Amino acid sequence: MSLKLHVFPLSPRAFKVMAAANHLGVDHELCFVDLGKGGHKNPKFLALNPNGKMPVLEEDGFVLWEANAILGYLASKKPQSGLMPEDARGRADVARWLFWDMAHWDSTCAIFIFERMVKSFFTKETPDPAEIAKGEERFHQFAKVLDDHLKGRKYVCGDKLTIADFALAAPLNVQETAQYPLAPYAEISRWYASLTALPCWRKTLAAKVPAAA
Ligand SMILES: N[C@@H](CCC(=O)N[C@@H](CS)C(=O)NCC(=O)O)C(=O)O
């Protein structure tokens, strides 16, 4: 198969690209990057992404890293899907939320994921209360923006599902363990529940971890 996704599937950043590929019906092969065993630090992987981070897309010599860029590339393969709108304002709206994700949301969720999941998974360290406090302050700042925005909208960019939904909702898959302070944000919970009903979401959550590449 010519399109490969190099992923550590437990990560929301991997999930978003895997789920979008499944939703779009883009044929792909999953290549397991074992972060626990330094699979992102070996020369073969660093030749794909010198940042030493997954996910990475590889297709016939074309290599793309940054999950949200990968989302855009996958959507461009199936324009009829509407995951990336065709009009300029629609595209700008999606871009806005992808940039917002990278500027604010992803890194805020990552604090909880690192403190409450990565540490216990890899180093058995306990969460740092100062980091959690910083995460909570930032989470309330940005979750309120997203929650207010979702009022009256089915999806982040309106009535239609777009890659912005995949980008922003993926970290919520691990909400039970990450324990984001989500309780006040009913619109986010309503929107996230609608995404978990998508067949691609369920299929991707159930995906088995592939063998190491
Ligand atoms: N902005 C990048 C972040 C990628 C990233 O940080 N991936 C993490 C896992 S979620 C990783 O590979 N970390 C390995 C490391 O930093 O050592 C994206 O969205 O693709």
Side-chain angles (χ1 to χ4, degrees):
M1 199 174 296
S2 64
L3 193 149
K4 293 179 177 169
L5 293 175
H6 297 266
V7 290
F8 181 72
L10 292 176
S11 158
R13 293 169 183 145
F15 177 90
K16 60 171 93 169
V17 301
M18 291 159 62
N22 285 332
H23 179 82
L24 291 161
V26 171
D27 261 1
H28 62 282
E29 180 189 337
L30 295 180
C31 303
F32 182 47
V33 183
D34 193 342
L35 296 183
K37 293 192 177 146
H40 54 308
K41 292 184 180 153
N42 68 47
K44 200 170 147 211
F45 187 81
L46 289 171
L48 292 175
N49 184 358
N51 297 293
K53 296 187 189 294
M54 68 86 237
V56 176
L57 175 150
E58 191 183 6
E59 183 184 39
D60 302 329
F62 172 65
V63 176
L64 188 63
W65 31 266
E66 282 300 321
N68 288 356
I70 295 171
L71 285 177
Y73 181 71
L74 290 170
S76 73
K77 289 184 165 289
K78 301 278 173 105
Q80 69 282 10
S81 70
L83 281 197
M84 177 55 105
E86 287 183 281
D87 65 298
R89 290 182 181 179
R91 297 174 77 84
D93 191 25
V94 170
R96 174 238 306 269
W97 286 105
L98 297 180
F99 284 113
W100 184 83
D101 181 30
M102 282 301 102
H104 308 303
W105 184 245
D106 171 276
S107 56
T108 298
C109 294
I111 294 173
F112 296 90
I113 293 173
F114 183 76
E115 294 298 324
R116 295 191 168 133
M117 296 178 70
V118 176
K119 276 186 169 178
S120 72
F121 196 74
F122 291 120
T123 65
K124 308 285 174 229
E125 285 174 79
T126 52
D128 176 347
E131 281 297 299
I132 295 292
K134 184 175 89 184
E136 287 184 346
E137 189 184 334
R138 286 175 54 175
F139 192 89
H140 288 301
Q141 179 184 356
F142 299 119
K144 182 170 179 352
V145 173
L146 181 58
D147 198 70
D148 285 348
H149 177 79
L150 283 166
K151 285 181 187 135
R153 290 182 176 88
K154 185 169 181 199
Y155 298 115
V156 168
C157 295
D159 289 340
K160 294 204 177 117
L161 183 71
T162 68
I163 53 173
D165 298 294
F166 287 83
L168 296 172
L172 300 176
N173 286 336
V174 295
Q175 59 184 278
E176 275 182 27
T177 324
Q179 294 170 50
Y180 312 117
L182 257 175
Y185 307 109
E187 288 294 321
I188 293 180
S189 297
R190 182 267 305 160
W191 159 74
Y192 174 68
S194 76
L195 297 173
T196 60
L198 296 172
C200 71
W201 212 272
R202 294 201 301 269
K203 178 179 171 183
T204 310
L205 280 177
K208 297 269 182 297
V209 176

